[in-house]
Amino acid sequence: MNMQEYIEEAESALLHTYNRYQIVLDRGEGVYLYDMEGIKYLDFVAGIAVFALGYHNREYNDALKAQIDKLIHTSNYYYNVPAVGAAKKLKAVSEMDRVFFTNSGAEAVEGAIKAARKYAYLKDGRTDHEIIAMNHSFHGRTMGALSVTGNAKYREPFEPMIGNIRFADLNDIESVKAQITDKTCAVILEPVQGEGGLFPAEEEFLREVKKICQEKDILLIFDEIQCGMGRTGYMYAWQRYGVKPDIMTTAKALGCGVPVGAFLMTEKVAEHSLAAGDHGTTYGGNPLACAAVEKVLDLFEENHIIEKVRETAPYLEKCLDELKDKYECIVERRGLGLMQGLVFDRPVGDIINRALEEGLILINAGPDIIRFVPPLIISKANIDEMIDILDSCIEA
Ligand SMILES: *Cc1c(COP(=O)(O)O)cnc(C)c1O
């Protein structure tokens, strides 16, 4: 079958929940992807902030192959070796105390919500606790995660959502205060909003939220699924702000392609929330997924990924700022680290399609924003290459 035939077959078999770009990707090498016809693309999406280490990383691939030959799955009724290593390393880099491995980001958010509700339930026995989430947030597509996602368009067709969710505005502490009641059990937010438009939280805002949460014993949940794993130049974005959450979610780059996420918590929350029988997963944290996590965390350290991001991110910012100054149709650049957005005064679909034709993979965040979430191993030369192509596409 040729590429077009594969696309037609896909469209006749897969549920049409995505308007896909008209290419069939076949293999990857470093920061480049190749389609079935051998056409090469510079990848500034990384499978949506997933493939941090780049494609075809031999050490990563070998670790997975070795684990496949040993043991892929056991269920969580037994211990397994990779889960221990992965949990220990994840605890160390996240500075949290307890880990629960999941299969996806949304599932990590579900677990975080359950932990927060259980914590509040154990305190007062009530079953009407409220959670405050942010407008423009994105936490995933399952019902619980969707319920705290601040985008009515995603939620409405699937209502009713889980109950007692109230929305406030990121970086507007008064809007948060206005939603707090004696039933509030948690505040959930992304330190840098991804899908919702690349909005970084302000440090002062996070400090204020944390202060209120501490005063009222409300749990602070940070969704670090997109902004975590080194993307902002810190292993987790909260470490940049110095504001530590009680519960944290992580996924996307955690397994660098193997589907795995986690929610983590402090010892205090762990002791007073989910207990045996309260939560579970058949696949979550299986030996293959955990072998991936363990190897990814090792490779982050060995390859000085954080240091690399701190070096390349300011360069990406500078290049994007120059582009912004050059074109009137670009309104703003915003983001943190290697998680950036260019805000246009018009839809960006045409630019992204043209870039694809020119061998550059980009993605949007909302209709008017081009999002840049490249592999974290991206070089300055790769950034120059991207800017050249993007510049010509905007020009056209
Ligand atoms: C992608 C994302 C999710 C959902 O993760 P999935 O693995 O797609 O379920 C949740 N929160 C944030 C911040 C994300 O970027």
Side-chain angles (χ1 to χ4, degrees):
M1 284 201 288
N2 66 25
M3 196 152 90
Q4 196 50 44
E5 285 164 344
Y6 270 108
I7 290 172
E8 279 157 23
E9 291 263 305
E11 286 304 334
S12 70
L14 297 173
L15 193 64
H16 190 91
T17 52
Y18 283 90
N19 290 319
R20 291 183 166 87
Y21 293 99
Q22 297 299 297
I23 53 172
V24 181
L25 292 170
D26 190 45
R27 64 185 184 90
E29 190 68 50
V31 298
Y32 294 96
L33 283 166
Y34 295 82
D35 70 17
M36 271 187 63
E37 294 173 348
I39 294 177
K40 184 180 179 183
Y41 301 89
L42 174 61
D43 180 20
F44 261 70
V45 177
I48 315 187
V50 169
F51 241 109
L53 298 166
Y55 302 98
H56 200 213
N57 182 299
R58 192 160 300 279
E59 281 181 72
Y60 171 80
N61 289 2
D62 286 347
L64 289 186
K65 286 175 196 165
Q67 190 57 47
I68 285 171
D69 286 336
K70 245 182 169 171
L71 188 63
I72 295 175
H73 180 76
T74 58
S75 96
N76 279 303
Y77 283 105
Y78 313 95
Y79 300 97
N80 74 73
V81 175
V84 178
K88 231 169 107 177
K89 283 173 184 159
L90 186 55
K91 267 179 56 164
V93 295
S94 68
E95 302 176 57
M96 305 298 282
D97 301 317
R98 297 269 168 183
V99 187
F100 184 103
F101 286 111
T102 65
N103 306 287
S104 69
E107 207 188 320
V109 172
E110 297 287 337
I113 292 172
K114 280 180 73 175
R117 279 188 167 182
K118 179 80 191 290
Y119 179 89
Y121 172 78
L122 286 178
K123 260 193 325 193
D124 61 17
R126 285 168 74 154
T127 53
D128 57 354
H129 293 111
E130 295 171 351
I131 295 173
I132 298 174
M134 299 297 135
N135 290 312
H136 301 292
S137 65
F138 181 85
H139 297 292
R141 303 297 198 142
T142 55
M143 290 306 288
L146 193 58
S147 301
V148 290
T149 289
N151 182 335
K153 194 186 80 188
Y154 288 166
R155 293 195 312 262
E156 201 176 279
F158 309 104
E159 294 194 327
M161 296 284 107
I162 68 166
N164 294 12
I165 310 297
R166 291 160 163 260
F167 287 94
D169 290 317
L170 189 75
N171 296 333
D172 178 354
I173 194 66
E174 293 308 320
S175 78
V176 176
K177 285 181 186 163
Q179 297 303 331
I180 287 179
T181 73
D182 62 352
K183 295 191 284 188
T184 310
C185 71
V187 175
I188 181 167
L189 62 88
E190 299 151 86
V192 185
Q193 290 185 337
E195 304 288 326
L198 289 306
F199 291 104
E202 285 161 13
E203 188 176 320
E204 185 57 27
F205 172 77
L206 292 186
R207 283 191 193 290
E208 290 275 332
V209 172
K210 169 95 185 180
K211 199 172 123 219
I212 295 167
C213 286
Q214 275 177 324
E215 279 166 14
K216 300 183 182 291
D217 201 18
I218 293 167
L219 297 182
L220 183 55
I221 306 171
F222 282 173
D223 181 345
E224 294 248 10
I225 290 169
Q226 191 158 160
C227 62
M229 288 300 291
R231 194 149 285 279
T232 68
Y234 288 77
M235 203 59 193
Y236 286 97
W238 73 259
Q239 292 160 329
R240 176 183 195 117
Y241 292 100
V243 177
K244 186 175 175 175
D246 303 293
I247 302 175
M248 190 192 90
T249 59
T250 178
K252 289 204 163 86
L254 181 64
C256 276
V258 170
V260 60
F263 63 98
L264 300 99
M265 56 187 78
T266 60
E267 193 62 38
K268 184 186 97 171
V269 179
E271 273 170 21
H272 303 284
S273 64
L274 300 176
D278 276 335
H279 197 56
T281 162
T282 300
Y283 285 142
N286 82 13
L288 182 63
C290 286
V293 172
E294 202 177 354
K295 196 67 197 175
V296 165
L297 293 175
D298 280 347
L299 289 172
F300 260 67
E301 202 180 315
E302 286 163 26
N303 295 317
H304 310 287
I305 296 294
I306 302 284
E307 290 78 0
K308 279 209 173 82
V309 172
R310 288 182 190 179
E311 218 181 287
T312 45
Y315 187 69
L316 176 64
E317 285 183 5
K318 176 181 149 283
C319 294
L320 292 175
D321 282 338
E322 283 167 9
L323 217 52
K324 178 193 143 250
D325 292 340
K326 185 170 169 190
Y327 292 103
E328 217 154 87
C329 62
I330 304 177
V331 184
E332 193 189 351
R333 180 211 38 97
R334 62 175 179 243
L336 217 53
L338 288 181
M339 184 174 174
Q340 297 286 336
L342 271 186
V343 187
F344 285 70
D345 65 1
R346 64 197 69 182
V348 293
D350 286 347
I351 298 173
I352 291 175
N353 281 320
R354 188 176 284 272
L356 193 65
E357 283 167 22
E358 300 298 322
L360 169 64
I361 293 185
L362 292 172
I363 199 168
N364 63 313
D368 304 332
I369 304 172
I370 299 180
R371 174 169 31 160
F372 304 85
V373 284
L376 300 182
I377 56 159
I378 209 91
S379 68
K380 288 181 182 175
N382 296 141
I383 292 172
D384 289 339
E385 188 186 347
M386 181 277 288
I387 292 286
D388 278 350
I389 301 174
L390 180 57
D391 192 343
S392 71
C393 294
I394 299 172
E395 183 95 51

